[in-house]
Amino acid sequence: MALSVVKTAQDNPYDWHFHRVKDFGFKSRLLDRMRGEFPDSALRDLNRSFVDDAIIPTYSRAVDSRRPTVDLVKTKLLGVRIGYERLILPQRCDGKPAWCISLAEGRFFIPPIQEAKTDITDEGIIQLLIEGHPAKEIAEFLNLSPRTIEHRIEKMKLRLEAKNLVHLVAKLVATQVDRRGAL
């Protein structure tokens, strides 16, 4: 979760100034890298495609309506698919708000994954892993030995650089999301 202020007094939205007040929640290298892309600065100095896609339209709507705005942002930043809910509260005033407070709660961060080279057996294993089946059940479904399934799972872990089975399944789900064009 992050609390930010955007100073919106300027007429040109690219002259608006972003200021991160506080980050809450867990720490990760991926989130730290993304946060590093957004230092306190004018919007014109930040990632232009992200600013054009995820910041200016919603903040402009909040400033113009002078009402709180809630949205779900689904975009890409640094090659990472991200989704977060955001509440924007514009300054309460009679004229144009000079600032907006934003509270954002992350929902998903799916980093790019190298495409896994798979055959039809691997695809079956992937589907059954995603559904939560253990190797023994997967072996029964696919008419293979449990040891064969375990070897194939180990090879997938190596190819996807997964640390354990849970990490592998998370990466496989992310790969499936990316294939289906989610977002």
Side-chain angles (χ1 to χ4, degrees):
M1 185 178 300
L3 178 65
S4 305
V5 174
V6 175
K7 295 178 184 173
T8 57
Q10 303 296 325
D11 289 333
N12 183 343
Y14 293 109
D15 292 330
W16 293 352
H17 194 271
F18 172 83
H19 171 69
R20 182 181 321 278
V21 176
K22 177 89 171 145
D23 288 320
F24 304 91
F26 67 93
K27 302 283 185 200
S28 81
R29 287 186 307 239
L30 179 60
L31 288 175
D32 288 343
R33 192 171 139 226
M34 283 196 216
R35 288 177 185 127
E37 286 290 305
F38 288 90
D40 292 356
S41 65
L43 295 186
R44 77 173 65 260
D45 299 330
L46 301 176
N47 180 300
R48 184 59 69 103
S49 63
F50 183 78
V51 166
D52 289 345
D53 180 45
I55 296 179
I56 290 177
T58 309
Y59 277 85
S60 294
R61 191 168 63 245
V63 167
D64 292 343
S65 70
R66 295 191 315 262
R67 295 188 172 274
T69 302
V70 176
D71 67 336
L72 173 62
V73 177
K74 296 188 284 184
T75 190
K76 216 173 192 179
L77 179 62
L78 301 173
V80 176
R81 293 179 181 277
I82 62 174
Y84 59 91
E85 292 175 294
R86 175 176 58 195
L87 169 64
I88 300 172
L89 302 169
Q91 175 189 23
R92 209 168 169 177
C93 62
D94 291 330
K96 180 182 175 190
W99 50 263
C100 293
I101 295 174
S102 168
L103 187 61
E105 172 70 29
R107 291 288 168 225
F108 58 85
F109 303 91
I110 302 174
I113 297 175
Q114 60 191 356
E115 189 60 36
K117 304 289 187 234
T118 58
D119 60 18
I120 193 73
T121 303
D122 284 343
E123 290 292 330
I125 293 169
I126 290 168
Q127 182 60 42
L128 293 168
L129 280 173
I130 290 172
E131 291 176 12
H133 295 282
K136 187 175 179 180
E137 287 179 15
I138 294 171
E140 290 173 19
F141 282 128
L142 299 179
N143 294 320
L144 296 169
S145 76
R147 193 72 189 132
T148 299
I149 300 302
E150 291 168 4
H151 282 294
R152 285 182 170 258
I153 289 171
E154 287 303 315
K155 286 181 182 177
M156 280 189 253
K157 284 174 20 185
L158 288 172
R159 279 195 311 257
L160 291 174
E161 299 175 356
K163 296 175 183 165
N164 54 46
L165 186 58
V166 173
H167 193 206
L168 174 66
V169 171
K171 287 185 165 216
L172 291 171
V173 168
T175 302
Q176 297 301 315
V177 166
D178 203 35
R179 279 187 191 168
R180 294 188 178 108
L183 297 180

